[in-house]
Amino acid sequence: MYSLGPEASESYGGAGSDINRKLARLAALKAERSSWDNHWLQIAQYQFPRAGRFLTSDTNEGKKKNQHVYDNTAIFAVRTLAAGMMSGVTSPARPWFRLGLADRDLMEFAPVKQWLHDTGEIMRQVFAASNTYNTLHSCYEELGAFGTWADVVLPDFDNVIHHYPMTIGEYYLAHDYRGKIDTLAREMKMTVGQMVGQFGKNNCSQAVRNLYDRGAYDVWVDVVHLIEPRRNRDLRKRDGRNMPVASCYFEPGKEAWDKYLSESGFQRFPVLAPRWVVTGNDVYGRSPGMEALGDVKQLQYEQTRKAQAIEYQVNPPLQVPTAYKDAAQSRLPGGVMYVDAMSPGGGVRSAFEVNLRLDFLLESIRDTRDRIRQAYYADLFLMLQSQPANGRMTATEVAERHEEKLLMLGPVLERIHNELLSPLIDITFERCLEANILPPAPPEIQGVDLDIEFISVLAQAQRAVAVNGMERLVGTAVSLAGVRPEILDKVNFDQVIDDLSNAFGVNPALIVSDEDAAKVRAARAQAIQAQQAAAAAPTMVDTAKVASDINTDQLRDVMGMLQGYSSPSPAMVQ
């Protein structure tokens, strides 16, 4: 259903004409992206040297790419941002999402709650077994530096899913009328061996087949991959060539225009293409790297000037008599020069006095570094490390500062949830269903749409205000109970526990359901009643014994006297 399909197709009036149309769209996408290329290239040169593929010839290039970097503050800032986002949003060490339902009452049903938890655990195991977390780390690096990232998620027999991430410059994007990315094109290079292995020898061009027959398996060949909505399809068919999303591989050479390397399709757009921040109707996003680029360039310039100033002071230019023209070695440290002091211009001296003030330059460098770190939120993720050594803060102050800074990532976090993590979870859930590795769903949720709740550290920080409100409410109620104990009747502690467990992402198996809690309380009440009855039993026996010893005649006389109807009997007188 989701296979790439090695066979070519002659749909839409012949594959050749269709490939020409796809090449025309590729040219249009390339022209639309061209205004971004120079900006991305500068970011790559100064902040992320090993990223970016703006020419297909850049593939597998190991040449030095950090010639523009004299101060690596920006490189470390990118690294810090990626690590902070990884641990704060999608940490492999703790749950960062949870499946839910729009019907909250149905979610409280124990079998449903347990199924949602178990399904989420299986999906997290799939992420751990595949290359998901390695790919997400690359995602956060590219998002921080360039503002846009792209990745294709395809089915995998061994690990359910497999990611094929791309770096900036090697893909082109387009979005629909809602601003949602729905098209990806990329120009890439594949070796002859890779092409024959993926598409089959008969689907490759004659040039590739000839290279394969000669054993030239490692020769690189240009390949275009286009994933886009299929605008013409037969709705009565459900094969790969009639699915809503088309996926086509082809060679851009003239002799290959009459045949696809592969034509297939997907039910769902298999591309993850998050943006850091989007302005208006832009296709590509803005990034911290764009905001920091001016400061990064300034920092490199200041570092070169600082090195030049130090060099002037350590090794200043000299004014030397012509007689010493050939005594260069003698002017090195440890060398001996014989100078005629009686000569008016004799001796060796500096060409001019060098006494530069570096403190102003160093202060400017520190200020520039701080601005770069702030642009990349490094001060946020390294907040505790950046505190003074003798600084003293309470745990509450630390938590409040942490939450205050995390709120700055709120808009970005929402976009990452919507454009990266939610589609990833949807795709993974469908792949797990196809692989038949999920537990049977309870009949109560058949046909019910699933919701995704994010419970990562950063996501919980966004909801910390609500949690703090509940904690303050409970604390205040307990304090007031010392004056008026009946005030606790106003607090539904069962609901407080349920809400806190949802906010903290606690395993639902640790929280007893309302029905089971009611049964436990009823049993406890019965046990207390039984204990009270058992404790009261000896008193009742003693009372019965005393009652049996009462003289009924005397009791009758007493009652009569109290009523004024009789006088004491002889027995009572005695």
Side-chain angles (χ1 to χ4, degrees), residues 210-285:
N210 292 340
L211 289 170
Y212 187 81
D213 291 338
R214 295 201 303 266
Y217 306 130
D218 297 312
V219 175
W220 292 96
V221 179
D222 291 333
V223 175
V224 175
H225 184 201
L226 179 62
I227 303 175
E228 63 179 347
R230 181 171 273 123
R231 285 151 176 98
N232 297 302
R233 64 190 183 100
D234 190 343
L235 298 178
R236 297 169 298 178
K237 298 180 180 179
R238 299 185 61 83
D239 60 335
R241 297 172 191 166
N242 289 283
M243 287 186 177
V245 180
S247 174
C248 302
Y249 290 87
F250 53 91
E251 296 179 56
K254 292 183 178 179
E255 67 174 7
W257 281 3
D258 63 342
K259 192 173 184 180
Y260 284 116
L261 291 169
S262 169
E263 182 190 12
S264 61
F266 303 92
Q267 287 288 357
R268 175 190 294 274
F269 188 57
V271 176
L272 305 176
R275 284 82 54 87
W276 187 267
V277 176
V278 177
T279 302
N281 200 37
D282 288 350
V283 176
Y284 302 97

Side-chain angles (χ1 to χ4, degrees), residues 70-71 73 298-311 313 356-373:
Y70 304 104
D71 187 299
T73 299
Q298 176 183 339
L299 181 61
Q300 310 309 318
Y301 178 80
E302 289 179 338
Q303 288 288 16
T304 58
R305 286 295 176 262
K306 184 187 74 172
Q308 188 177 33
I310 294 174
E311 185 71 9
Q313 297 187 85
L356 301 179
R357 292 281 304 274
L358 292 180
D359 52 341
F360 297 113
L361 184 57
L362 292 175
E363 181 62 29
S364 178
I365 288 175
R366 282 192 291 268
D367 181 60
T368 306
R369 284 174 170 172
D370 288 341
R371 293 200 303 270
I372 294 172
R373 296 188 185 104

Side-chain angles (χ1 to χ4, degrees), residues 364-474:
S364 178
I365 288 175
R366 282 192 291 268
D367 181 60
T368 306
R369 284 174 170 172
D370 288 341
R371 293 200 303 270
I372 294 172
R373 296 188 185 104
Q374 290 173 3
Y376 275 104
Y377 300 91
D379 59 330
L380 187 159
F381 294 111
L382 299 178
M383 183 189 65
L384 295 181
Q385 178 178 325
S386 62
Q387 292 299 320
N390 58 352
R392 295 180 179 275
M393 291 193 302
T394 65
T396 302
E397 290 175 331
V398 171
E400 289 177 352
R401 290 191 182 188
H402 192 55
E403 292 168 6
E404 179 182 353
K405 288 180 176 291
L406 291 179
L407 290 176
M408 298 174 59
L409 282 173
V412 175
L413 189 61
E414 288 300 320
R415 184 171 291 278
I416 289 176
H417 286 169
N418 295 332
E419 295 187 350
L420 173 64
L421 301 182
S422 290
L424 171 61
I425 293 172
D426 290 339
I427 292 172
T428 305
F429 182 79
E430 292 181 357
R431 301 290 185 262
C432 290
L433 281 178
E434 295 171 4
N436 197 27
I437 61 175
L438 298 180
E444 291 81 4
I445 62 173
Q446 295 295 332
V448 178
D449 291 335
L450 297 179
D451 283 345
I452 302 171
E453 299 179 40
F454 294 100
I455 55 175
S456 65
V457 173
L458 291 181
Q460 289 189 30
Q462 305 300 317
R463 298 194 297 265
V465 175
V467 173
N468 291 340
M470 284 188 287
E471 292 177 346
R472 287 195 296 268
L473 171 64
V474 173

Side-chain angles (χ1 to χ4, degrees), residues 22 64 110 142-143 195 201 204 328 330 380 403 432 494 499:
K22 295 184 184 304
K64 183 179 179 181
E142 298 253 340
L143 278 179
M195 293 179 65
K201 180 179 177 181
C204 298
S330 299
L380 187 159
E403 292 168 6
C432 290
D494 288 355
D499 290 350

Side-chain angles (χ1 to χ4, degrees), residues 518-550:
K519 294 177 182 178
V520 171
R521 289 165 180 167
R524 184 185 299 115
Q526 291 178 358
I528 292 174
Q529 291 178 357
Q531 290 177 356
Q532 292 175 346
T539 303
M540 294 179 63
V541 172
D542 293 341
T543 302
K545 183 177 183 300
V546 171
S548 64
D549 293 339
I550 294 176

